[in-house]
Amino acid sequence: MTNSERKAKSGLTLLELTIALSLLMVFLGMILINTSANNNEERILNNAARVLQADLRYAQRRAIMEGKRYGICFKDGDSYHLVTDIVRSSYDTTIRTVELPDGVEASINTSSNFINYLPRGTISGGATVTLTLDKWKQRITLSPSSGRATINEIEEK
């Protein structure tokens, strides 16, 4: 056998190369699908946090402008209520109810399940709201002195 014949027999055929590339593309596709699903969950959670942050700012501004208490009430895990003239035993003062996206749940670290903005725009005591979706969680921290709501980075549970 000549050297050129040996080289031709030791290389990959076009069929073998096509099969190898096809398998590689299937594996890369599976990885990309899994990654985009995680990004979608993070995006949903981040959007829910931004909507809640905007509602917290709205309640704070209304409390300052009107000189009365406004707040957010977490009655159950999948929605919250924007309320005024807060009466802890009644939801008759609900301005708006916000349903969280499917799978997103909210919890708050206060015993009353309220974030209560006083007429000067501060809150009584600090609070942290945690939004969860599958394996992800995102916290919104509220400062008692300023009432400011800060969204923290998304974390894995």
Side-chain angles (χ1 to χ4, degrees), residues 16 22 47 49 56 65 108 131 155:
E16 291 170 333
S22 298
N47 287 342
L56 289 164
M65 289 181 351
I108 186 169
L131 299 176
E155 309 168 8

Side-chain angles (χ1 to χ4, degrees), residues 52-53 55-57 59-60 63 69-75 80-86 88 106-118 121-131 140-144 146-150:
L52 177 57
Q53 182 186 38
D55 284 337
L56 289 164
R57 287 181 182 160
Q60 182 184 32
R69 293 176 178 223
Y70 275 81
I72 303 286
C73 171
F74 296 90
K75 185 177 178 181
Y80 60 88
H81 307 273
L82 179 61
V83 295
T84 183
D85 296 331
I86 297 171
R88 294 181 191 275
S107 62
I108 186 169
N109 69 339
T110 64
S111 60
S112 64
N113 292 333
F114 277 92
I115 296 171
N116 188 4
Y117 281 99
L118 303 173
T122 60
I123 61 172
S124 50
T128 302
V129 179
T130 304
L131 299 176
I140 300 173
T141 308
L142 288 107
S143 167
S146 66
R148 182 181 175 144
T150 305

Side-chain angles (χ1 to χ4, degrees), residues 46-56 80 96 98 100 151:
N46 194 25
N47 287 342
R50 291 191 186 284
V51 169
L52 177 57
Q53 182 186 38
D55 284 337
L56 289 164
Y80 60 88
R96 178 173 74 231
V98 177
L100 294 170
I151 298 176

